[in-house]
Amino acid sequence: MLRMILGRQLQALRVRAGLSFEQAGAAIGVSHSTVRRLEAAKVARLRLADVEKLLRTYGVTDPDEIEAFLRSVREANKRGWWHGFRDVVPDWLASYLSLEQAALQIRGYEAQAVHGLLQTEEYARALFQASAPQATAQETERRVELQMRRQELLRRPEPPRLWVVLDETVLRWPVGGAAVMRAQIDHLIGMLAQPHVTVQIMPFGHGPHPALRAGSFHVLRFQAPELPDVVYLDGLREMTYLDKTEDVLAYRESLDRLGAQAAPPARTEALLTALRREFSG
């Protein structure tokens, strides 16, 4: 995420200096594609020497300003906590975790499962076992451990704002059995007390709604002004990211309509309590 911010800043400096990718690359002895990849954060690490050359090429001469930028580069090159889970974290998931950690607001619609930040350990385990039956028991436990570690995000001193609309289907599928579902619903009810967490339910009785064909999706917003909102679409083996203005607006508007059509947040606890009773037989 920090590499994305720094890339946007380098892009702004290059444009202000009136240089093309080719001119910037030629000035510091690298290809134009290297400059493009730096700005797009499509590099594993930012080379300090390349960044310093670019800053000077773009007219940044203040030693303090250069050093401050390079400090950010050093920070961006540090590995995220999820690097310790590389055995079960593919690159596309690592990218999402980076976005999630930096988000100021996370909004989403869940059509098939409880949002990962709101899952209990038992629910997550049952979900992973069902979705990846070929995985070993050790791999499943590592994924569960990752999911629980990920949820520490909501316990930070300044957590992101999480607003999720759950399709009623999510709460009726008996993932892991009745006991697991009762515990999961109890956990959701407990999370409602957190001021930064909002959960709404889209009931069956409402009929067709704006996300009926879209499936699950999320919109992440960031504090850094260099970064646009990002839409993330979950897939079976990879995730799709959208940041074009027209795409983001379409999904934001869909979330707004979902929030307006779903049961209001004030009714969520009562609906969850009623659904819990269905797993008590």
Side-chain angles (χ1 to χ4, degrees):
M1 174 53 61
L2 187 50
R3 287 199 299 273
M4 291 176 66
I5 294 173
L6 294 173
R8 295 291 177 108
Q9 291 174 341
L10 286 171
Q11 180 186 40
L13 289 170
R14 177 181 59 77
V15 171
R16 189 179 69 183
L19 298 177
S20 65
F21 291 114
E22 290 76 9
Q23 290 170 322
I28 67 170
V30 299
S31 67
H32 66 88
S33 62
T34 297
V35 178
R36 288 178 184 271
R37 293 174 67 243
L38 284 171
E39 292 184 5
K42 292 183 177 179
V43 292
R45 295 176 62 84
L46 295 169
R47 293 182 55 192
L48 289 172
D50 286 346
V51 173
E52 183 173 0
K53 288 178 183 177
L54 283 174
L55 290 174
R56 296 188 183 280
T57 299
Y58 299 156
V60 180
T61 57
D62 185 339
D64 292 337
E65 186 176 351
I66 292 173
E67 180 53 34
F69 200 100
L70 294 180
R71 278 199 302 270
S72 295
V73 171
R74 295 185 188 98
E75 187 67 26
N77 285 336
K78 292 182 180 178
R79 293 172 173 173
W81 60 261
W82 50 90
H83 186 81
F85 292 88
R86 293 298 293 176
D87 53 324
V88 293
V89 177
D91 289 342
W92 55 264
L93 180 54
S95 298
Y96 176 75
L97 292 174
S98 176
L99 293 170
E100 187 176 74
Q101 290 291 310
L104 182 68
Q105 180 188 77
I106 303 168
R107 297 175 64 190
Y109 167 67
E110 293 287 355
Q112 297 175 318
V114 172
H115 193 286
L117 292 175
L118 299 173
Q119 294 175 6
T120 64
E121 183 175 334
E122 294 78 11
Y123 182 94
R125 182 176 293 109
L127 201 62
F128 287 133
Q129 288 171 340
S131 61
Q134 77 286 354
T136 66
Q138 182 179 1
E139 289 171 337
T140 297
E141 290 308 307
R142 287 286 286 164
R143 291 187 173 101
V144 172
E145 185 183 354
L146 169 69
Q147 197 79 305
M148 297 303 102
R149 175 68 176 82
R150 176 185 165 199
Q151 293 178 7
E152 293 181 12
L153 176 70
L154 295 179
R155 297 191 287 272
R156 293 190 319 203
E158 296 184 7
R161 181 85 169 84
L162 177 65
W163 173 23
V164 179
V165 176
L166 296 177
D167 194 283
E168 186 178 340
T169 306
V170 169
L171 300 166
R172 289 188 177 275
W173 280 347
V175 177
V180 171
M181 288 303 299
R182 286 196 301 271
Q184 176 61 71
I185 292 173
D186 286 341
H187 180 64
L188 287 172
I189 292 173
M191 292 301 295
L192 297 178
Q194 303 297 321
H196 54 285
V197 175
T198 299
V199 178
Q200 291 181 260
I201 298 173
M202 180 65 72
F204 282 152
H206 186 278
H209 55 75
L212 191 62
R213 296 176 58 192
S216 302
F217 65 91
H218 303 83
V219 178
L220 288 78
R221 174 165 291 178
F222 309 96
Q223 189 164 9
E226 295 89 351
L227 297 178
D229 290 358
V230 173
V231 176
Y232 131 68
L233 309 175
D234 199 359
L236 184 62
R237 294 182 58 84
E238 61 181 13
M239 297 177 181
T240 301
Y241 298 92
L242 308 172
D243 63 1
K244 291 183 179 179
T245 302
E246 58 270 26
D247 292 330
V248 173
L249 283 175
Y251 280 93
R252 278 210 317 240
E253 289 172 3
S254 183
L255 280 172
D256 289 341
R257 291 195 297 271
L258 282 167
Q261 295 179 21
R267 289 190 56 207
T268 299
E269 183 171 353
L271 290 171
L272 287 172
T273 300
L275 287 163
R276 187 190 188 282
R277 286 197 289 269
E278 297 187 16
F279 292 102
S280 298

PDB file of all heavy atoms in Angstrom, residues 128-143:
ATOM      1  N   PHE A 128     -13.436 -23.266   5.218  1.00  0.00           N
ATOM      2  CA  PHE A 128     -12.235 -23.661   4.481  1.00  0.00           C
ATOM      3  C   PHE A 128     -12.278 -25.146   4.129  1.00  0.00           C
ATOM      4  O   PHE A 128     -11.866 -25.553   3.041  1.00  0.00           O
ATOM      5  CB  PHE A 128     -10.968 -23.356   5.286  1.00  0.00           C
ATOM      6  CG  PHE A 128     -10.628 -21.894   5.351  1.00  0.00           C
ATOM      7  CD1 PHE A 128     -10.285 -21.296   6.559  1.00  0.00           C
ATOM      8  CD2 PHE A 128     -10.632 -21.100   4.216  1.00  0.00           C
ATOM      9  CE1 PHE A 128      -9.982 -19.947   6.628  1.00  0.00           C
ATOM     10  CE2 PHE A 128     -10.323 -19.753   4.271  1.00  0.00           C
ATOM     11  CZ  PHE A 128      -9.995 -19.181   5.485  1.00  0.00           C
ATOM     12  N   GLN A 129     -12.763 -25.970   5.051  1.00  0.00           N
ATOM     13  CA  GLN A 129     -12.840 -27.406   4.780  1.00  0.00           C
ATOM     14  C   GLN A 129     -13.798 -27.702   3.628  1.00  0.00           C
ATOM     15  O   GLN A 129     -13.546 -28.589   2.808  1.00  0.00           O
ATOM     16  CB  GLN A 129     -13.287 -28.144   6.043  1.00  0.00           C
ATOM     17  CG  GLN A 129     -12.222 -28.196   7.125  1.00  0.00           C
ATOM     18  CD  GLN A 129     -12.738 -28.741   8.447  1.00  0.00           C
ATOM     19  OE1 GLN A 129     -13.944 -28.751   8.713  1.00  0.00           O
ATOM     20  NE2 GLN A 129     -11.825 -29.188   9.299  1.00  0.00           N
ATOM     21  N   ALA A 130     -14.877 -26.931   3.559  1.00  0.00           N
ATOM     22  CA  ALA A 130     -15.857 -27.150   2.490  1.00  0.00           C
ATOM     23  C   ALA A 130     -15.375 -26.608   1.150  1.00  0.00           C
ATOM     24  O   ALA A 130     -15.601 -27.221   0.101  1.00  0.00           O
ATOM     25  CB  ALA A 130     -17.178 -26.495   2.869  1.00  0.00           C
ATOM     26  N   SER A 131     -14.698 -25.460   1.172  1.00  0.00           N
ATOM     27  CA  SER A 131     -14.284 -24.815  -0.074  1.00  0.00           C
ATOM     28  C   SER A 131     -12.981 -25.370  -0.636  1.00  0.00           C
ATOM     29  O   SER A 131     -12.703 -25.242  -1.827  1.00  0.00           O
ATOM     30  CB  SER A 131     -14.135 -23.301   0.138  1.00  0.00           C
ATOM     31  OG  SER A 131     -13.144 -23.019   1.121  1.00  0.00           O
ATOM     32  N   ALA A 132     -12.161 -25.984   0.223  1.00  0.00           N
ATOM     33  CA  ALA A 132     -10.884 -26.556  -0.236  1.00  0.00           C
ATOM     34  C   ALA A 132     -10.705 -27.946   0.375  1.00  0.00           C
ATOM     35  O   ALA A 132      -9.825 -28.168   1.215  1.00  0.00           O
ATOM     36  CB  ALA A 132      -9.718 -25.640   0.142  1.00  0.00           C
ATOM     37  N   PRO A 133     -11.541 -28.903  -0.032  1.00  0.00           N
ATOM     38  CA  PRO A 133     -11.470 -30.240   0.578  1.00  0.00           C
ATOM     39  C   PRO A 133     -10.160 -30.971   0.305  1.00  0.00           C
ATOM     40  O   PRO A 133      -9.819 -31.908   1.018  1.00  0.00           O
ATOM     41  CB  PRO A 133     -12.662 -30.973  -0.072  1.00  0.00           C
ATOM     42  CG  PRO A 133     -12.913 -30.247  -1.358  1.00  0.00           C
ATOM     43  CD  PRO A 133     -12.584 -28.807  -1.070  1.00  0.00           C
ATOM     44  N   GLN A 134      -9.420 -30.520  -0.708  1.00  0.00           N
ATOM     45  CA  GLN A 134      -8.156 -31.173  -1.034  1.00  0.00           C
ATOM     46  C   GLN A 134      -7.022 -30.712  -0.125  1.00  0.00           C
ATOM     47  O   GLN A 134      -5.946 -31.313  -0.117  1.00  0.00           O
ATOM     48  CB  GLN A 134      -7.785 -30.907  -2.502  1.00  0.00           C
ATOM     49  CG  GLN A 134      -7.224 -29.522  -2.796  1.00  0.00           C
ATOM     50  CD  GLN A 134      -8.280 -28.409  -2.783  1.00  0.00           C
ATOM     51  OE1 GLN A 134      -9.476 -28.692  -2.665  1.00  0.00           O
ATOM     52  NE2 GLN A 134      -7.860 -27.173  -2.918  1.00  0.00           N
ATOM     53  N   ALA A 135      -7.226 -29.662   0.642  1.00  0.00           N
ATOM     54  CA  ALA A 135      -6.180 -29.121   1.517  1.00  0.00           C
ATOM     55  C   ALA A 135      -5.917 -30.065   2.687  1.00  0.00           C
ATOM     56  O   ALA A 135      -6.826 -30.748   3.167  1.00  0.00           O
ATOM     57  CB  ALA A 135      -6.585 -27.751   2.041  1.00  0.00           C
ATOM     58  N   THR A 136      -4.672 -30.089   3.135  1.00  0.00           N
ATOM     59  CA  THR A 136      -4.336 -30.897   4.306  1.00  0.00           C
ATOM     60  C   THR A 136      -4.874 -30.219   5.560  1.00  0.00           C
ATOM     61  O   THR A 136      -5.210 -29.031   5.545  1.00  0.00           O
ATOM     62  CB  THR A 136      -2.820 -31.058   4.436  1.00  0.00           C
ATOM     63  OG1 THR A 136      -2.231 -29.762   4.709  1.00  0.00           O
ATOM     64  CG2 THR A 136      -2.206 -31.619   3.152  1.00  0.00           C
ATOM     65  N   ALA A 137      -4.938 -30.974   6.637  1.00  0.00           N
ATOM     66  CA  ALA A 137      -5.403 -30.411   7.909  1.00  0.00           C
ATOM     67  C   ALA A 137      -4.497 -29.260   8.348  1.00  0.00           C
ATOM     68  O   ALA A 137      -4.969 -28.247   8.877  1.00  0.00           O
ATOM     69  CB  ALA A 137      -5.439 -31.499   8.975  1.00  0.00           C
ATOM     70  N   GLN A 138      -3.200 -29.393   8.103  1.00  0.00           N
ATOM     71  CA  GLN A 138      -2.261 -28.331   8.473  1.00  0.00           C
ATOM     72  C   GLN A 138      -2.518 -27.068   7.669  1.00  0.00           C
ATOM     73  O   GLN A 138      -2.496 -25.956   8.215  1.00  0.00           O
ATOM     74  CB  GLN A 138      -0.824 -28.801   8.253  1.00  0.00           C
ATOM     75  CG  GLN A 138       0.224 -27.765   8.661  1.00  0.00           C
ATOM     76  CD  GLN A 138       1.644 -28.256   8.449  1.00  0.00           C
ATOM     77  OE1 GLN A 138       1.859 -29.375   7.977  1.00  0.00           O
ATOM     78  NE2 GLN A 138       2.618 -27.441   8.798  1.00  0.00           N
ATOM     79  N   GLU A 139      -2.772 -27.217   6.363  1.00  0.00           N
ATOM     80  CA  GLU A 139      -3.060 -26.051   5.526  1.00  0.00           C
ATOM     81  C   GLU A 139      -4.343 -25.360   5.976  1.00  0.00           C
ATOM     82  O   GLU A 139      -4.409 -24.121   6.024  1.00  0.00           O
ATOM     83  CB  GLU A 139      -3.174 -26.478   4.064  1.00  0.00           C
ATOM     84  CG  GLU A 139      -1.847 -26.870   3.427  1.00  0.00           C
ATOM     85  CD  GLU A 139      -2.026 -27.486   2.057  1.00  0.00           C
ATOM     86  OE1 GLU A 139      -3.125 -28.014   1.775  1.00  0.00           O
ATOM     87  OE2 GLU A 139      -1.067 -27.459   1.267  1.00  0.00           O
ATOM     88  N   THR A 140      -5.348 -26.147   6.313  1.00  0.00           N
ATOM     89  CA  THR A 140      -6.603 -25.568   6.785  1.00  0.00           C
ATOM     90  C   THR A 140      -6.387 -24.781   8.061  1.00  0.00           C
ATOM     91  O   THR A 140      -6.884 -23.653   8.215  1.00  0.00           O
ATOM     92  CB  THR A 140      -7.652 -26.666   7.021  1.00  0.00           C
ATOM     93  OG1 THR A 140      -7.942 -27.325   5.785  1.00  0.00           O
ATOM     94  CG2 THR A 140      -8.939 -26.079   7.585  1.00  0.00           C
ATOM     95  N   GLU A 141      -5.629 -25.342   8.995  1.00  0.00           N
ATOM     96  CA  GLU A 141      -5.382 -24.649  10.267  1.00  0.00           C
ATOM     97  C   GLU A 141      -4.581 -23.376  10.049  1.00  0.00           C
ATOM     98  O   GLU A 141      -4.792 -22.378  10.740  1.00  0.00           O
ATOM     99  CB  GLU A 141      -4.671 -25.575  11.248  1.00  0.00           C
ATOM    100  CG  GLU A 141      -5.543 -26.702  11.772  1.00  0.00           C
ATOM    101  CD  GLU A 141      -6.869 -26.186  12.337  1.00  0.00           C
ATOM    102  OE1 GLU A 141      -6.846 -25.281  13.194  1.00  0.00           O
ATOM    103  OE2 GLU A 141      -7.926 -26.688  11.901  1.00  0.00           O
ATOM    104  N   ARG A 142      -3.676 -23.384   9.090  1.00  0.00           N
ATOM    105  CA  ARG A 142      -2.907 -22.176   8.779  1.00  0.00           C
ATOM    106  C   ARG A 142      -3.823 -21.095   8.228  1.00  0.00           C
ATOM    107  O   ARG A 142      -3.680 -19.921   8.556  1.00  0.00           O
ATOM    108  CB  ARG A 142      -1.806 -22.503   7.771  1.00  0.00           C
ATOM    109  CG  ARG A 142      -0.654 -23.284   8.359  1.00  0.00           C
ATOM    110  CD  ARG A 142       0.211 -22.408   9.223  1.00  0.00           C
ATOM    111  NE  ARG A 142       1.024 -21.494   8.413  1.00  0.00           N
ATOM    112  CZ  ARG A 142       1.649 -20.413   8.913  1.00  0.00           C
ATOM    113  NH1 ARG A 142       1.516 -20.086  10.180  1.00  0.00           N
ATOM    114  NH2 ARG A 142       2.387 -19.648   8.121  1.00  0.00           N
ATOM    115  N   ARG A 143      -4.790 -21.472   7.402  1.00  0.00           N
ATOM    116  CA  ARG A 143      -5.737 -20.507   6.858  1.00  0.00           C
ATOM    117  C   ARG A 143      -6.629 -19.939   7.963  1.00  0.00           C
ATOM    118  O   ARG A 143      -6.947 -18.750   7.961  1.00  0.00           O
ATOM    119  CB  ARG A 143      -6.571 -21.162   5.758  1.00  0.00           C
ATOM    120  CG  ARG A 143      -5.775 -21.483   4.498  1.00  0.00           C
ATOM    121  CD  ARG A 143      -6.684 -21.964   3.372  1.00  0.00           C
ATOM    122  NE  ARG A 143      -5.945 -22.118   2.125  1.00  0.00           N
ATOM    123  CZ  ARG A 143      -5.518 -23.280   1.656  1.00  0.00           C
ATOM    124  NH1 ARG A 143      -5.801 -24.392   2.316  1.00  0.00           N
ATOM    125  NH2 ARG A 143      -4.853 -23.336   0.514  1.00  0.00           N
TER     126      ARG A 143
END
